[in-house]
Amino acid sequence: NMAAAAPERLTGGGLLRKKAADAVDDDDSDEKIEIAWKFINADVIDKMCEAISNTTLDPLITVLDLTDNKLGPQGMQRIASTMESGFITDCIVRFNEIGKEGADGMSLVVESSQTLTNLDLRGNKLDAVSIRKLMKAVGDTQQLRLLGLGGNDLGCDGAAYVAAALTRNTSLTAAQLWKCGFGPDGAEHVSSILAHNSSIKSIDLWGNRFGAEGISHISKGLSHNTTLTRLSLGENKIGDVGIKDLAKAIENNSTITELDIRSNGLTPDGVAVMAKGLKNHSSLQSLHLCSNNVGIDGAKEILNSLTSTSLTELDLWNTQLGSKGAKIISDWMIANTNIAAVNLASNNIDNSCVADLSNAIERARSLEFLDLVSNDINVEGAEMLLQSVEKNPSVVSLSLHGNNINRVTQKKINATLHERRVKIGMEIVVCTAL
């Protein structure tokens, strides 16, 4: 139920979810089978299939969530044959080594199902040959909304099959294609998806080793795209050379609200180039630059470029800022009236800039989350930060794990913010990034 979905943000190692006061918890409206990290034998598979096909259940089984159960090709085939006549809307089968036979079985489900909208087959050690039949079915269906193929070594040929499907499909809104081994040659096929698909709003492409050559192809496709809102290109070895093409494409794009270019070997010079591309990008809400060598000079350039944006989230984890860089960020936070989440973890920040951070916490009235994990702040600095948090009721998370503070101070911070979250109906859900 998307209407009841609550805004959520990843910070400090957990997921903080703010529930709307009138949100309806609809867990009881759907029946789910969920088994994680446990071997499933043939008898259990048979029982699951009986439940999936049982039309007398109220409610019916609509969600199947299986992670690392050693299903194998035969187990997946058995489940898929049952799903063809069932009512499954969400099929999540991750890390189960389903093989070509299992993927072929799911292709029949995609072809015949009138209910399946979410198909997640991440981490199943599939290759290009394994997904060929499945991708033909995906291209023909107009039922699917989300497709997850991340963590499968599909290569350039696999990229071609995926592109052929997604350039025909007009129903998908999200595609998870991270670490598929597309490489520079596969990037040309991915480019065609960006250029010709007008329904996908979110695409994850991190870890595909595109390099500067591949990013050039991606940028060409992006320059023709007018519907994408979320683009993840982290860990693609873009470098200062490749970022030039991406910056140019972003400069002419008005729809992207979230951009992730973490871990791409950027220097302050490359960050400055990206900053120019973002200068007039007023729709940008979330920017992830973590694990790039942003430095003080890069930080100045990127912050100057964000003055006309509606940015709410800035991720600068491990970007060589130091305390001087943190002071620059602090001044920017005060001037920015929209910023809600800032990640400054692992930046060698010490007490010399705590006064500036404290001032920012107190005066940035839109700030909700500040991550300062793994820095060099001591007890005195932490106490000062906590005092500022107490003066700004909008702050619900201050992460200081991995600093030079004792358990007493950490417990005081945790208790203060836990009480605040409870009062406004916010819960922490521990999650794992896949």
Side-chain angles (χ1 to χ4, degrees), residues 264-385:
N264 270 300
L266 300 181
T267 70
D269 290 338
V271 174
V273 171
M274 189 71 244
K276 292 179 181 178
L278 293 171
K279 194 167 185 63
N280 297 311
H281 202 294
S282 59
S283 63
L284 191 68
Q285 297 176 12
S286 178
L287 178 63
H288 300 265
L289 284 166
C290 56
S291 291
N292 287 295
N293 182 15
V294 175
I296 296 174
D297 291 338
K300 289 178 180 178
E301 292 287 348
I302 207 73
L303 295 179
N304 286 337
S305 73
L306 297 175
T307 54
S308 63
T309 70
S310 53
L311 200 76
T312 60
E313 183 174 11
L314 180 61
D315 186 356
L316 292 171
W317 170 74
N318 188 31
T319 50
Q320 289 76 57
L321 294 176
S323 292
K324 291 183 179 179
K327 182 184 185 308
I328 294 170
I329 303 295
S330 299
D331 293 340
W332 175 82
M333 287 165 59
I334 295 171
N336 188 297
T337 58
N338 298 306
I339 194 67
V342 178
N343 189 343
L344 298 176
S346 301
N347 270 296
N348 296 316
I349 298 169
D350 58 29
N351 274 27
S352 64
C353 70
V354 164
D356 299 292
L357 285 169
S358 298
N359 188 35
I361 291 172
E362 184 175 341
R363 295 176 59 188
R365 309 308 286 185
S366 61
L367 186 68
E368 298 177 27
F369 306 88
L370 179 60
D371 194 335
L372 292 169
V373 166
S374 299
N375 281 295
D376 297 315
I377 298 168
N378 64 20
V379 173
E380 182 182 354
E383 292 281 0
M384 189 181 300
L385 292 170

Side-chain angles (χ1 to χ4, degrees), residues 110-131:
V110 173
E111 289 176 357
S112 61
S113 175
Q114 298 299 308
T115 59
L116 186 66
T117 57
N118 176 2
L119 178 59
D120 188 348
L121 299 178
R122 291 177 286 171
N124 274 295
K125 297 184 179 179
L126 300 174
D127 57 16
V129 175
S130 301
I131 65 163

Side-chain angles (χ1 to χ4, degrees), residues 45-286:
I45 291 175
D46 286 341
K47 290 178 181 178
M48 283 196 299
C49 290
E50 288 178 14
I52 292 170
S53 60
N54 189 342
T55 59
T56 64
L57 289 179
D58 185 17
L60 298 168
I61 301 294
T62 59
V63 178
L64 180 65
D65 190 345
L66 304 175
T67 300
D68 196 9
N69 312 110
K70 296 182 173 61
L71 285 181
Q74 290 185 336
M76 187 72 257
Q77 280 185 312
R78 173 75 175 92
I79 294 171
S81 64
T82 303
M83 283 177 58
E84 289 182 53
S85 56
F87 299 89
I88 297 294
T89 59
D90 297 68
C91 178
I92 304 164
V93 181
R94 297 173 293 190
F95 308 106
N96 270 293
E97 300 186 29
I98 65 173
K100 181 180 183 300
E101 296 85 352
D104 285 350
M106 283 309 305
S107 71
L108 298 176
V109 177
V110 173
E111 289 176 357
S112 61
S113 175
Q114 298 299 308
T115 59
L116 186 66
T117 57
N118 176 2
L119 178 59
D120 188 348
L121 299 178
R122 291 177 286 171
N124 274 295
K125 297 184 179 179
L126 300 174
D127 57 16
V129 175
S130 301
I131 65 163
R132 186 172 184 177
K133 187 175 180 180
L134 176 62
M135 287 303 98
K136 184 179 184 304
V138 169
D140 293 336
T141 185
Q142 301 306 322
Q143 185 74 32
L144 279 181
R145 297 291 180 270
L146 185 147
L147 175 66
L149 290 172
N152 291 295
D153 193 9
L154 306 180
C156 181
D157 290 341
Y161 295 141
V162 173
L166 270 54
T167 51
R168 297 202 324 273
N169 182 288
T170 59
S171 63
L172 280 173
T173 58
Q176 297 169 342
L177 301 172
W178 48 263
K179 280 200 171 182
C180 287
F182 290 154
D185 294 333
E188 193 165 359
H189 298 297
V190 176
S191 178
S192 68
I193 299 173
L194 297 173
H196 301 293
N197 183 291
S198 59
S199 65
I200 292 178
K201 307 294 183 185
S202 172
I203 189 164
D204 283 309
L205 294 166
W206 63 266
N208 273 295
R209 304 190 299 274
F210 290 138
E213 179 186 350
I215 286 298
S216 178
H217 292 304
I218 298 293
S219 300
K220 289 177 183 176
L222 184 60
S223 66
H224 296 286
N225 188 289
T226 58
T227 55
L228 196 68
T229 60
R230 180 179 178 275
L231 176 61
S232 174
L233 286 169
E235 298 182 35
N236 270 298
K237 300 182 179 180
I238 295 174
D240 288 354
V241 175
I243 204 68
K244 294 176 182 178
D245 291 320
L246 182 60
K248 186 177 180 180
I250 292 293
E251 184 177 7
N252 297 316
N253 180 285
S254 60
T255 61
I256 289 180
T257 60
E258 181 176 350
L259 178 64
D260 187 343
I261 50 174
R262 71 185 70 195
S263 303
N264 270 300
L266 300 181
T267 70
D269 290 338
V271 174
V273 171
M274 189 71 244
K276 292 179 181 178
L278 293 171
K279 194 167 185 63
N280 297 311
H281 202 294
S282 59
S283 63
L284 191 68
Q285 297 176 12
S286 178

